[in-house]
């Protein structure tokens, strides 16, 4: 209780001397005539009657602060003020009315008051609270250090600068520096040590307890500035301030504030104000020694003395001793005791009990307005802010949760099972739990269930004999009870309590609600918890089939594509089957249809049939949004013709029907005899030459060269092996010669016209002359000739590599220019024939092929994206608890500037894990348990916050070493 006005002081003295208030919490009285502004409607946020509902209590406190705040931008805090608002973001000293006065706010309470807003915002993310939080920070900066210059103000703008939502941290951090610099240049002291001595002398003899309480936050300011701006002497100054306190409290006896001396002899009648604010003094010493890391060996004894000032109901007295029968319970003293105990985590058993008791008393003492009122209706906004901060700390340390979670998280298909686990999630200071009663209801398309579908997971049974029972209430709800029998410290860890098995039986959402609960500690006292139900979806309808499956051959690979709109689809599953020889796993390569036991696989009607078929094998899957898949092979022995089916599969694992048509492709280039990925002269064309014009009856026959014709005449088609190596095979070799890139498979275009002439060059010398027209890649010229024949290449053959061979002793010329898209270009002679027999054009059988292997008409004479997340999402880290590494995943439906930060339990920034622009999609970040300076952090609870555009979310995680 910071008594800043004479009226406040007199009020406390009257109450203390006259005994106007009964023992117990002082703030549960009615307003006693206090005026409520007609502009305001006080919300009923707090669950009164349950003093352990610290989250609601903190939210009620934050709302109270927001409604009493002076706006900066008109009514941006939602308090309804339009005329007399001083627009400075601050608060009045004291008030009986739930409005801000027409005067400017005092200059040294904004930060202390607004800290309650900020601590509540850290766990709630409430936008209205953030507006008030920013109002306060902007007010401190705008009014400047000549008007706003307390340590709490400097700490507040430093904390605000650490928020991910702060767009200009340097601006607010500079304000904290300005506050300190102003103190050093415009006062009676010039350094930190002199400032601490000045505070000591100023506060004595009237308020000795406020000496360390005032010095400690300045020491914390300097330690924070040291971390931001090392090398400027801030840290040394903080240590100097701590030494002033140590000297006064320990080296000088009795000292102005001697924690083990005169102050412990405080007069409970308050007749001697020399002994006032003892508990605040102890809290200040603990805070100062803790933040400066000096004299930390003294903190345990100070903590013990602080706990001696606590009443059985949890309140801390304004003086030492918590005298029985005397009511000097103090809002501010209790709030700062809670904060001091928290700052020294991990808790000892006694400190934990003291912390919990203080928070619970504050929650019970809180008025329905969210504030902390005295008997005549006066309330102090600064104390409201300090108490709200303590309540927020209480929620972060003691706010347990009962929650349900399905596995799998869904959706599930009809007939599939989801196991819903009901868990108890405690915080570091949550008291032990002896027993629970939980009432739940399930709605949606699931089979009927009964008591036998519940299973105790033994969380309480592990503590001793327990009694677990499930009751069917007959109205669609079930109540689950469990309790430990006999003496027990209670459940002190997160635990899974029981499961419920549910089976889907129709399309639609399933909701699992926790309707109510009872939790009891070992003494049968209530324990508060949030209730978090769950839900999942049952999906019995398969997606529509895909369409337009296309399989394209490559070297040791088949590229598969398809079309689909992606609706009701999570992944596409790809199945393959071989053109096989008797055994579905044995390829019929290279002869295929020539083998007597060759089999073409039977198409499956749907994914489930493919899954059990001996002919079909799962090849892989891709996420929805991607409509392409590469099936990779590694060995020459894998060669074959592969058939492909693609099925759309939804999140419930329902697979679609088969596509209207499937497709097939080789996983090698036709003509690549040795399997190196190229059709080249030194191996493949030479092999073709060696076996050209042979059949299986010939010793030189090579089945690897029997690649033509293909089913679509293209170089990418399926070989229709004909047991003869001839011009058809040459054309496939020619078109695939020197293949080094992928050409999409397409339907060949019809052949076009080419003009040629049969020219007599000399007696017995003839030429096949190309006159123009469509490009020509292959030439097959035959004629019955009774005389000897000599054949040579013409002048057009010199433009690139050409396969040229006349089979036998007659005229059977097979000629092709080699390469994808290669052709005989221009006008000139393709070949020259010398023979004594007369030859006319009518004697010739001529076949010309284009670059797509289509016959040309001869006239003589003149070629899918990853589905984006539909919404923002910050997932629970995994593992949790962790040591020391954990992974944080989040989803962005669009590109955003993203900041992912880790905070300590008291709201201080520990580490910035991410501060950059990220694209739409799923992302993950690993935290190794280190702060921004690279130091490993201590065990405990931490918060991680994601801020991305309009989205902000906070989750808790626990580092356990």
């Amino acid at each position: 209780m910071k008594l800043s006005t004479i009226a406040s002081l007199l009020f406390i003295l009257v109450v203390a001397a006259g005994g106007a208030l009964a023992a117990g919490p002082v703030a549960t009285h009615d307003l006693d005539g206090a005026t409520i502004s007609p502009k305001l409607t006080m919300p009923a946020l707090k669950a009164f009657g349950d003093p352990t509902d610290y989250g609601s209590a903190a939210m009620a406190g934050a709302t109270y602060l927001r409604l009493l705040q002076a706006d900066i931008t008109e009514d941006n805090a939602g308090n309804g003020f339009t005329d007399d608002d001083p627009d400075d973001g601050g608060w009045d000293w004291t008030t009986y009315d739930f409005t801000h006065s027409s005067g400017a706010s005092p200059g040294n309470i904004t930060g202390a008051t607004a800290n309650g807003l900020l601590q509540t915002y850290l766990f709630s993310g409430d936008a209205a609270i953030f507006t008030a939080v920013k109002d306060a920070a902007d007010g401190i900066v705008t009014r400047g250090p000549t008007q706003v210059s307390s340590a709490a103000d400097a700490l507040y703008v430093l904390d605000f600068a650490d928020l991910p939502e702060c767009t200009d941290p340097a601006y607010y951090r500079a304000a904290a520096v300005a506050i300190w610099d102003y103190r050093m240049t415009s006062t009676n002291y010039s350094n930190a040590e002199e400032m601490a001595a000045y505070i000591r002398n100023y506060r004595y003899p009237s308020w000795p307890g406020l000496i360390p309480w005032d010095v400690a936050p300045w020491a914390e300011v300097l330690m924070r500035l040291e971390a931001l701006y090392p090398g400027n002497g801030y840290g040394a100054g903080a240590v100097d301030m701590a030494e002033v306190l140590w000297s006064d409290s320990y080296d000088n006896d009795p000292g102005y504030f001697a924690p083990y001396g005169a102050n412990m002899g405080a007069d409970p009648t308050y007749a001697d104000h020399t002994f006032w604010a003892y508990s605040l003094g102890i809290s200040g010493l603990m805070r100062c020694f803790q933040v400066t890391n000096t004299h930390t060996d003294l903190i345990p004894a100070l903590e013990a003395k602080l706990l001696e000032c606590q009443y059985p109901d949890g309140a801390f007295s304004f003086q030492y001793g918590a005298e029985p029968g005397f009511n000097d319970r103090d809002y501010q003293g209790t709030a700062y005791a809670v904060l001091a105990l928290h700052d020294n985590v991990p808790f000892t058993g006694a400190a934990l009990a003291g912390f919990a008791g203080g928070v619970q008393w504050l929650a019970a003492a809180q008025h329905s307005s969210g504030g902390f009122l005295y008997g005549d209706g006066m309330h102090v906004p600064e104390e409201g802010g300090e108490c709200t901060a303590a309540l927020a700390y209480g929620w972060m340390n003691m706010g347990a949760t009962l929650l349900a979670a399905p596995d799998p998280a869904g959706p599930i298909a009809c007939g599939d099972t989801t196991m819903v686990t009901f868990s108890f999630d405690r915080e570091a200071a949550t008291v032990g739990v002896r027993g629970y009663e939980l009432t739940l209801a399930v709605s949606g398309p699931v089979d009927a269930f009964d008591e036998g579908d519940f299973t105790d997971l033994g969380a309480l049974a592990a503590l001793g004999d327990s009694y677990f029972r499930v009751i069917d209430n007959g109205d669609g709800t079930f109540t689950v009870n469990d309790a430990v029998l006999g003496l027990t410290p209670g459940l002190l860890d997160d635990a899974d309590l029981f499961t419920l098995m549910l089976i889907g039986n129709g399309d639609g959402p399933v909701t699992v609600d926790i309707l109510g609960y009872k939790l009891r500690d070992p003494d049968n006292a209530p324990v508060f918890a949030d209730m978090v139900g769950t839900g999942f979806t049952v999906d019995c309808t398969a997606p529509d089939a895909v369409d337009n499956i296309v399989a394209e051959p490559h070297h040791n690979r088949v590229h598969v594509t398809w079309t689909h709109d992606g609706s009701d689809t999570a992944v596409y599953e790809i199945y393959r089957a071989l053109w096989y020889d008797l055994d579905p796993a044995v390829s019929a390569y290279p002869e295929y249809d020539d083998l007597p036991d060759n089999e073409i696989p039977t198409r499956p009607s749907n994914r489930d049939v493919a899954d059990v078929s001996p002919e079909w094998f799962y090849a892989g899957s891709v996420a929805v949004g991607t409509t392409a898949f590469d099936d990779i092979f590694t060995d020459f022995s894998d060669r074959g013709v592969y058939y492909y089916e693609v099925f759309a599969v939804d999140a419930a694992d329902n697979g679609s029907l088969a596509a209207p048509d499937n497709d097939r492709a080789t996983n090698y280039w036709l003509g690549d005899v040795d399997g190196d990925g190229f059709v080249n002269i030194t191996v493949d064309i030479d092999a073709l030459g060696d076996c050209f014009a042979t059949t299986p009856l010939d010793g030189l026959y090579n089945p690897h060269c029997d690649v033509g014709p293909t089913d679509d005449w293209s170089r990418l088609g399926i070989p229709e092996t004909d047991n003869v190596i001839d011009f058809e095979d040459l054309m496939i070799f020619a078109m695939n010669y020197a293949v080094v890139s992928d050409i999409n498979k397409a339907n060949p275009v019809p052949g076009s016209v080419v003009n040629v002439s049969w020219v007599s060059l000399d007696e017995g010398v003839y030429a096949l002359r190309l006159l123009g027209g469509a490009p020509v890649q292959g030439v097959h010229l035959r004629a019955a000739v009774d005389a000897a024949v000599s054949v040579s290449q013409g002048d057009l053959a010199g433009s690139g590599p050409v396969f040229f061979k006349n089979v036998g002793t007659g005229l059977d010329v097979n000629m092709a220019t080699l390469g994808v898209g290669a052709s005989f270009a221009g006008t000139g002679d393709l070949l020259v024939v010398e023979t004594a027999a007369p030859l006319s054009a009518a004697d010739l059988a001529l076949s010309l092929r284009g670059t797509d292997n289509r016959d040309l008409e001869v006239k003589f004479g003149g070629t899918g994206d990853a589905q984006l997340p539909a919404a923002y999402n910050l997932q629970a880290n995994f593992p949790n608890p962790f040591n020391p590494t954990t992974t944080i995943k989040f989803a962005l439906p669009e590109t955003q500037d993203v900041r992912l930060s880790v905070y300590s339990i008291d709201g201080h920034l520990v580490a910035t894990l991410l501060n950059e622009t990220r694209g739409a999609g799923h992302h993950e970040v690993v935290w190794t348990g280190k702060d921004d300076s690279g130091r490993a952090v201590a065990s405990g609870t931490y918060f991680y916050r994601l801020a991305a555009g309009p989205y902000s979310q906070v989750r808790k995680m626990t580092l356990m070493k």
Side-chain angles (χ1 to χ4, degrees):
M1 175 179 54
K2 189 171 185 180
L3 300 180
S4 306
T5 67
I6 295 176
S8 301
L9 176 58
L10 292 177
F11 171 71
I12 292 296
L13 293 176
V14 168
V15 171
L21 296 180
V26 299
T28 56
H29 295 271
D30 292 332
L31 286 174
D32 295 335
T35 301
I36 299 291
S37 169
K39 299 178 183 178
L40 303 179
T41 299
M42 305 307 296
L45 291 178
K46 187 170 181 290
F48 292 99
D50 188 348
T52 58
D53 185 356
Y54 313 123
S56 293
M59 288 296 292
T63 302
Y64 156 85
L65 295 171
R66 182 169 60 82
L67 295 176
L68 268 66
Q69 185 182 22
D71 290 321
I72 288 181
T73 302
E74 190 59 58
D75 203 31
N76 61 7
N79 57 23
F81 306 149
T82 57
D83 299 319
D84 56 2
D85 189 336
D87 297 340
D88 59 19
W91 287 265
D92 290 326
W93 277 112
T94 60
T95 181
Y96 290 89
D97 190 1
F98 282 85
T99 61
H100 194 286
S101 68
S102 60
S105 303
N108 61 340
I109 66 167
T110 297
T113 310
N115 185 46
L117 286 165
L118 189 145
Q119 298 304 326
T120 305
Y121 175 70
L122 282 175
F123 76 75
S124 70
D126 185 272
I129 296 178
F130 177 74
T131 299
V133 166
K134 187 174 186 302
D135 256 11
D138 289 341
I140 291 171
V141 178
T142 301
R143 294 160 73 188
T146 62
Q147 299 182 54
V148 184
S149 58
S150 75
D153 297 324
L155 288 173
Y156 182 78
V157 291
L158 290 174
D159 285 338
F160 181 78
D162 286 342
L163 291 178
E165 296 82 357
C166 178
T167 58
D168 189 1
Y171 173 72
Y172 296 95
R173 289 167 181 157
V177 174
I179 289 173
W180 175 254
D181 290 345
Y182 174 76
R183 284 289 188 172
M184 291 297 101
T185 59
S186 61
T187 55
N188 297 323
Y189 39 84
S190 59
N191 58 50
E193 182 178 6
E194 291 180 6
M195 181 180 185
Y198 176 84
I199 294 172
R200 177 196 63 201
N201 298 334
Y202 174 77
R203 286 300 190 187
Y204 185 83
S206 299
W207 296 89
L210 298 189
I211 295 171
W213 186 73
D214 273 350
V215 171
W218 283 114
E220 184 172 353
V221 168
L222 291 177
M223 293 303 294
R224 295 281 296 276
L225 293 179
E226 176 67 24
L228 291 169
Y229 312 108
N232 289 284
Y234 295 122
V239 172
D240 288 343
M241 298 187 95
E243 291 305 315
V244 170
L245 292 186
W246 177 84
S247 177
D248 174 59
S249 297
Y250 290 89
D251 198 34
N252 294 328
D253 189 10
Y256 291 177
F257 180 77
Y260 309 125
N263 297 280
M264 291 176 60
D267 183 349
T269 65
Y270 287 88
D272 186 352
H273 59 75
T274 303
F275 306 124
W276 289 354
Y278 177 80
S279 57
L280 287 173
I282 297 296
S283 298
L285 286 177
M286 292 174 61
R287 180 180 186 183
C288 190
F289 294 158
Q290 191 271 336
V291 299
T292 60
N293 197 32
T294 60
H295 304 294
T296 53
D297 58 312
L298 302 175
I299 293 179
L302 289 169
E303 183 177 274
K305 289 302 174 187
L306 182 62
L307 293 174
E308 290 175 7
C309 298
Q310 189 173 27
Y311 281 96
D313 61 12
F316 283 79
S317 65
F318 186 56
Q319 254 317 333
Y320 173 76
E323 295 292 333
F326 184 78
N327 183 14
D328 67 341
R329 293 164 175 83
D330 180 45
Y331 296 142
Q332 194 171 49
T334 302
Y336 276 96
V338 166
L339 302 182
L341 292 170
H342 169 269
D343 287 343
N344 290 284
V345 292
F347 291 109
T348 63
L352 176 59
F355 176 87
V359 174
Q360 186 163 335
W361 181 80
L362 288 173
Q366 187 180 27
H367 185 264
S368 59
S369 66
F372 291 80
L373 278 62
Y374 296 102
D376 67 346
M378 184 191 78
H379 45 107
V380 183
E382 179 191 3
E383 291 184 5
E386 292 156 342
C387 293
T388 298
L391 290 169
Y393 277 32
W395 182 89
M396 290 185 283
N397 283 274
M398 296 187 293
T401 305
L402 288 169
L403 67 159
D407 183 24
I412 63 170
C414 281
D416 285 352
T417 298
T418 280
M419 195 68 70
V420 181
T421 300
F422 294 81
S423 302
F424 174 67
D425 184 8
R426 70 184 301 275
E427 295 301 333
T430 306
V431 297
V433 170
R434 168 190 289 276
Y436 65 84
E437 178 183 276
L438 191 152
T439 301
L440 62 93
V442 178
S443 61
V446 292
D447 287 351
F449 59 92
D450 56 28
E451 295 93 330
D453 294 305
F454 291 83
T455 301
D456 179 18
L457 295 180
L460 298 186
L463 305 178
D465 292 337
S466 67
Y467 182 80
F468 179 85
R469 185 179 179 186
V470 180
I471 302 172
D472 184 346
N473 299 318
D475 58 358
T477 68
F478 287 78
T479 299
V480 183
N481 297 267
D482 197 7
V484 182
L485 308 178
L487 295 177
T488 177
L491 184 62
L492 294 173
D493 297 297
D494 294 347
D496 294 335
L497 303 176
F498 61 90
T499 61
L500 169 60
M501 183 179 70
L502 299 173
I503 300 174
N505 66 7
D507 290 302
V510 176
T511 300
V512 181
D513 290 317
I514 301 176
L515 302 178
Y517 75 95
K518 293 178 183 177
L519 290 176
R520 293 289 187 267
D521 72 5
D523 296 322
N524 201 32
V527 178
F528 174 79
D530 287 329
M531 297 181 293
V532 181
T534 190
F536 58 92
T537 300
V538 181
D539 182 357
C540 304
T541 304
D544 292 337
V546 308
D547 202 358
N548 301 319
I549 299 176
V550 176
E552 299 173 352
H554 297 277
H555 174 58
N556 287 342
R557 177 168 61 98
V558 177
H559 183 64
V560 185
T561 61
W562 58 93
T563 59
H564 192 256
D565 64 8
S567 60
D568 189 30
T569 300
V571 297
Y572 298 104
E573 292 185 356
I574 299 90
Y575 283 76
R576 80 163 85 90
L578 269 171
W579 189 343
Y580 63 92
D581 180 25
L582 193 60
D583 184 340
V586 177
S587 174
Y589 172 83
E591 294 288 5
Y592 301 114
D593 55 334
D594 295 328
L595 298 177
D597 295 316
N598 81 90
E599 291 285 346
I600 292 176
T602 301
R603 291 197 68 193
S605 58
N606 55 50
R607 192 277 303 265
D608 293 338
V609 173
D611 197 43
V612 298
S613 169
E615 294 182 310
W616 290 89
F617 300 88
Y618 175 75
S621 66
V622 295
V624 64
T626 302
T627 55
F629 174 79
D630 283 312
D631 197 13
I632 307 299
F633 302 85
T634 59
D635 195 88
F636 188 93
S637 63
D638 294 328
R639 283 192 165 196
V641 172
Y642 288 88
Y643 293 76
Y644 288 90
E645 302 282 356
V646 180
F647 301 99
V649 181
D650 64 21
D653 201 40
N654 296 302
S656 70
L657 298 175
D661 299 288
N662 66 357
D663 200 15
R664 60 181 181 169
T666 62
N667 64 340
Y668 60 96
W669 297 122
L670 300 181
D672 177 17
V673 176
D674 64 343
D676 64 354
F678 301 94
V679 179
N680 51 46
I681 289 178
T682 56
V683 176
D684 306 305
I685 301 301
D686 285 352
L688 176 65
D690 291 341
C691 65
F692 201 81
T694 64
T695 69
L697 300 178
D698 301 319
L700 295 177
Y701 177 77
N702 184 347
H704 298 288
C705 295
D706 190 8
V707 294
T710 61
D711 61 340
D712 61 1
W713 297 90
S714 78
R715 71 181 187 90
L716 304 175
I718 303 301
E720 295 181 343
T721 55
D722 54 5
N723 287 319
V724 60
I725 311 302
D726 59 6
F727 178 69
E728 297 296 351
D729 304 294
L730 168 60
M731 285 305 302
I732 302 301
F733 272 79
M735 289 189 294
N736 277 338
Y737 174 77
V739 169
V740 294
S741 62
D742 302 338
I743 304 298
N744 288 336
K745 182 177 180 180
N747 294 324
V749 297
S752 300
V753 176
V754 61
N755 296 308
V756 299
S757 64
W758 184 246
V759 180
S760 177
L761 302 177
D762 201 351
E763 185 176 351
V765 181
Y766 306 92
L768 180 63
R769 182 163 295 171
L770 181 62
L771 301 178
V776 176
Q777 184 162 13
V779 180
H780 191 192
L781 177 66
R782 291 161 291 165
V785 182
D786 293 335
V789 175
S790 172
V791 185
S792 61
Q793 299 179 41
D795 57 357
L796 285 184
S799 59
V802 173
F803 181 93
F804 185 91
K805 189 164 187 175
N806 186 44
V807 178
T809 58
L811 186 61
D812 188 352
V813 181
N814 298 265
M815 178 182 184
T817 181
L818 304 178
V820 177
S823 65
F824 297 106
T827 301
D829 294 340
L830 292 167
L831 55 88
V832 176
V833 179
E834 296 184 39
T835 180
L839 278 176
S840 68
D843 299 322
L844 304 176
L846 177 62
S847 176
L848 299 181
R849 298 283 175 85
T851 56
D852 60 357
N853 200 27
R854 282 291 183 177
D855 280 316
L856 299 172
E857 182 181 350
V858 179
K859 289 189 177 181
F860 279 91
T863 167
D865 252 325
Q867 183 183 27
L868 302 181
Y872 292 95
N873 183 35
L874 175 63
Q875 298 184 24
N877 63 301
F878 183 85
N880 190 33
F882 62 95
N883 178 24
T885 299
T886 189
T887 298
I888 300 170
K889 297 183 178 182
F890 60 93
L892 304 175
E894 58 188 352
T895 299
Q896 284 290 359
D897 293 332
V898 176
R899 186 166 181 179
L900 181 62
S901 307
V902 177
Y903 294 86
S904 63
I905 196 71
D906 57 1
H908 289 166
L909 178 68
V910 174
T912 300
L913 305 183
L914 197 65
N915 189 10
E916 65 188 37
T917 301
R918 283 288 180 103
H922 299 275
H923 306 269
E924 63 180 52
V925 176
V926 175
W927 185 39
T928 58
K930 295 181 179 180
D931 62 18
D932 281 336
S933 299
R935 296 186 296 265
V937 302
S939 297
T941 297
Y942 294 85
F943 291 83
Y944 57 98
R945 172 179 290 279
L946 176 70
Y951 179 76
S952 175
Q953 178 67 35
V954 177
R955 285 184 177 271
K956 291 183 282 187
M957 57 184 171
T958 301
L959 173 60
M960 185 177 297
K961 296 183 178 179

